[in-house]
Amino acid sequence: MRIGRLTLAAAALLLMATASVPAGTPVGRDDRHALSSDAFEPRGAAPRPPVQRPRHEPPFGAFVGSWDEYIPQIGRYARWLGDANIQVGHTYLAGNGWADIEGEPIVLGMWSQWRLADPARMLVLGVPMLVPNEANVPDGEVAKLLAQGSRGDFDSHFLRLARRLVALGGSDTVITLGWEMNGITYTHRCKPDPTAWKAYWRRIVGVMRSVPGQRFRFDFNPTRGLDAIPWTKCYPGDDVVDIIGMDSYDQPAGSTFDDYVREPYGLQDQVEFAAKHGKPVSYPEWGLFRNGDNPEFVRRMVEWMRTHDTAYQTVTDYCPHGFFQCKSNPRSTAAFKQLMSGSRGAPAVVPPAGPSSAGTPSRR
């Protein structure tokens, strides 16, 4: 749920700074389940699957910028939090052209080296599925591009990205592929053709997992709530998803955290869906938004992430969402610092090597 990301006059670079906007026209709560044939059961209508709870602080970090020069900002952020163990570096690939998706070796290499400096660290990389990714491409054209992708027309770009990540030391990168696919902001959105979108996701994962030495984890990362389409309609399958994420900002105005938990396709539905499918959850983007300086949201969000099977979390840290780089949220900043200062993080977990060749599409 990023505010329309400009290329910042940096078409030569791959990574871009991010921001957030609302990802769709609000829909009344009473109307939401009627819009979906696969809507979740009303609360209490059926037994809930067990929700796993971690025994440690989930690995955490903050999005402080995508360019390579933002890497030192992570250290400053950690010192600001009383030398907290910042374990997650979060960045994005730009989506202006296919060269962006293949990755700039210098920039990817610097982020990979940051990750390799500590075995407990994690690199999270947002990877667009289509280009140009923020150009208001009409639904009909999106559907055509998704069909091309599902046929393998764009395989070579993702193969080059995977090879570069492995060669540069980023073999265990967590990839938020096609993030916020249930919204309307990005060309890689799902609604124009959910069937083709799922087939295309599966193809990309197959291509990237075909590279020897890779240990990528793929994070299926919708935005919270219904948005333009129920995110369950976009889920591509347990064999090609490792984590079930959710971007969660404090909006719409006037809503409470309990609303965010209970809304259809909200936080409770996420953790139940993940438990049913045997996956951990994540929160790649979260922060303040429509309700201003709201320490209650901060406290409840941190508590939520700490009491569920959270693989990682990264707050979006710039105005209006964050704390370290934003002076507009003093009460929320105080709450965040109280909660997170001095955190020791989680023990290092090295994921096993992923599947390398089964069902791999032909390469181009």
Side-chain angles (χ1 to χ4, degrees):
M1 190 173 291
R2 303 183 298 164
I3 288 175
R5 292 182 171 80
L6 302 177
T7 58
L8 302 177
L13 294 176
L14 251 201
L15 304 176
M16 58 188 261
T18 61
S20 294
V21 289
T25 303
V27 180
R29 182 179 301 155
D30 294 339
D31 300 328
R32 292 182 177 184
H33 279 269
L35 296 177
S36 171
S37 61
D38 64 345
F40 287 95
E41 291 295 321
R43 292 279 169 250
R48 296 181 182 179
V51 173
Q52 302 175 29
R53 299 181 186 276
R55 301 181 218 177
H56 53 72
E57 175 78 49
F60 79 98
F63 175 76
V64 291
S66 282
W67 313 107
D68 54 305
E69 62 261 32
Y70 283 94
I71 294 175
Q73 194 80 317
I74 298 173
R76 291 190 281 270
Y77 197 93
R79 291 190 291 274
W80 178 74
L81 284 177
D83 292 323
N85 186 12
I86 302 293
Q87 294 176 287
V88 186
H90 188 185
T91 191
Y92 295 83
L93 300 184
N96 306 308
W98 286 113
D100 293 343
I101 307 304
E102 295 174 6
E104 166 54 51
I106 293 176
V107 178
L108 289 182
M110 293 183 72
W111 279 98
S112 296
Q113 289 303 306
W114 173 87
R115 180 263 171 272
L116 290 173
D118 185 333
R121 287 178 177 173
M122 177 188 303
L123 176 60
V124 177
L125 181 64
V127 176
M129 295 169 66
L130 293 173
V131 298
N133 199 35
E134 297 181 67
N136 298 314
V137 177
D139 281 357
E141 183 62 26
V142 170
K144 291 178 183 177
L145 290 169
L146 291 172
Q148 285 183 261
S150 68
R151 293 193 300 265
D153 289 3
F154 311 133
D155 285 2
S156 62
H157 308 296
F158 295 96
L159 182 63
R160 290 192 185 103
L161 171 62
R163 286 174 172 167
R164 285 176 177 174
L165 282 169
V166 170
L168 293 166
S171 61
D172 62 353
T173 299
V174 175
I175 295 171
T176 56
L177 181 65
W179 70 94
E180 297 188 6
M181 77 298 294
N182 59 324
I184 61 171
T185 302
Y186 303 109
T187 306
H188 62 219
R189 60 192 181 270
C190 170
K191 186 178 180 181
D193 190 338
T195 299
W197 192 94
K198 290 184 284 189
Y200 184 29
W201 169 292
R202 296 184 63 85
R203 187 163 192 108
I204 293 170
V205 172
V207 166
M208 295 189 71
R209 283 181 173 170
S210 73
V211 175
Q214 65 80 31
R215 293 177 290 155
F216 302 129
R217 284 182 287 171
F218 291 87
D219 189 333
F220 174 78
N221 176 206
T223 188
R224 194 194 68 240
L226 175 62
D227 214 320
I229 184 174
W231 48 261
T232 53
K233 288 185 175 292
C234 308
Y235 187 67
D238 289 348
D239 58 325
V240 290
V241 171
D242 300 289
I243 302 168
I244 295 176
M246 182 165 283
D247 290 351
S248 181
Y249 290 93
D250 186 17
Q251 67 168 344
S255 293
T256 68
F257 193 84
D258 287 332
D259 294 328
Y260 306 150
V261 172
R262 293 191 298 251
E263 70 178 317
Y265 309 99
L267 293 171
Q268 187 65 39
D269 284 340
Q270 176 209 15
V271 296
E272 291 185 7
F273 185 90
K276 179 179 177 182
H277 290 264
K279 310 292 181 183
V281 296
S282 73
Y283 301 93
E285 294 183 29
W286 71 274
L288 305 171
F289 202 4
R290 301 296 184 187
N291 293 299
D293 186 5
N294 186 359
E296 176 67 10
F297 172 81
V298 175
R299 286 190 286 267
R300 294 288 301 277
M301 191 70 199
V302 171
E303 176 189 32
W304 180 269
M305 294 183 293
R306 283 175 167 169
T307 54
H308 292 84
D309 186 19
T310 303
Y312 70 92
Q313 60 101 339
T314 46
V315 64
T316 299
D317 203 290
Y318 50 80
C319 286
H321 312 297
F323 319 112
F324 176 57
Q325 299 185 117
C326 184
K327 307 301 183 185
S328 302
N329 304 311
R331 295 182 303 137
S332 298
T333 297
F336 183 76
K337 288 194 74 173
Q338 182 182 33
L339 289 163
M340 305 305 296
S341 285
S343 171
R344 294 298 88 207
V349 177
V350 179
S356 60
S357 60
T360 301
S362 59
R363 245 112 44 235
R364 292 168 178 260

